[in-house]
Amino acid sequence: MNISQAAQQSGLSTKALRYYESIDLLQPARGPNGYREYSRADVETLQFIQRARACGFSVDEVRQLLALHRDPARQSHDAKQLVEEKLQQVELQLKALKAMKVTLRELADSCAGDDSPQCAILSQLASRG
């Protein structure tokens, strides 16, 4: 199938397919005319990539997951370790976002939000400590 068909079936853009090829996550065959020819296995790989990226895995992490997926001698604990590491990262991000939410709420509550040029938000952001 051509790149448009593979993109449609995988749920990705043609730009994403070209990008994943450029970074060697996928190498579709080339026809005599030089056009990419995607197989069903290529589409399944693209779907794998899409699902992994949707879970927040970086390109390098996806590369590791793909290598495990393709390795019949793999050990499941390797995949679990990658997921556990990602989970720890997400937990840290959530804590940081919650702290950011508290700070933003405090900033919003400190400001009268009227027509006055005095703004507690701007004053607090400008203060050094």
Side-chain angles (χ1 to χ4, degrees):
M1 73 187 76
N2 67 30
I3 192 169
S4 296
Q5 294 165 323
Q8 183 178 15
Q9 287 189 24
S10 67
L12 295 166
S13 68
T14 56
K15 184 177 179 180
L17 272 62
R18 287 185 194 97
Y19 171 68
Y20 292 141
E21 180 182 358
S22 75
I23 61 171
D24 294 323
L25 283 183
L26 179 76
Q27 288 302 317
R30 295 280 181 162
N33 57 8
Y35 292 155
R36 295 169 182 87
E37 293 182 356
Y38 292 87
S39 66
R40 182 70 207 143
D42 291 332
V43 171
E44 289 170 3
T45 297
L46 289 165
Q47 291 168 334
F48 182 100
I49 293 168
Q50 180 196 40
R51 287 189 290 271
R53 295 288 285 153
C55 288
F57 288 103
S58 69
V59 170
D60 287 335
E61 292 164 335
V62 171
R63 190 180 314 282
Q64 292 174 54
L65 288 166
L66 271 173
L68 289 170
H69 178 64
R70 293 172 176 153
D71 181 2
R74 69 182 173 253
Q75 296 180 344
S76 66
H77 67 81
D78 293 330
K80 184 171 182 171
Q81 181 180 350
L82 286 170
V83 170
E84 292 287 350
E85 290 170 4
K86 180 54 63 182
L87 188 56
Q88 287 177 340
Q89 291 172 5
V90 169
E91 291 292 340
L92 290 173
Q93 289 172 326
L94 285 171
K95 285 179 185 178
L97 285 170
K98 286 178 184 179
M100 186 186 307
K101 179 182 175 184
V102 168
T103 300
L104 290 170
R105 174 54 42 216
E106 289 171 354
L107 285 171
D109 290 346
S110 71
C111 182
D114 56 18
D115 293 335
S116 167
Q118 300 301 319
C119 179
I121 294 170
L122 300 176
S123 296
Q124 289 180 48
L125 292 175
S127 73
R128 294 185 187 251

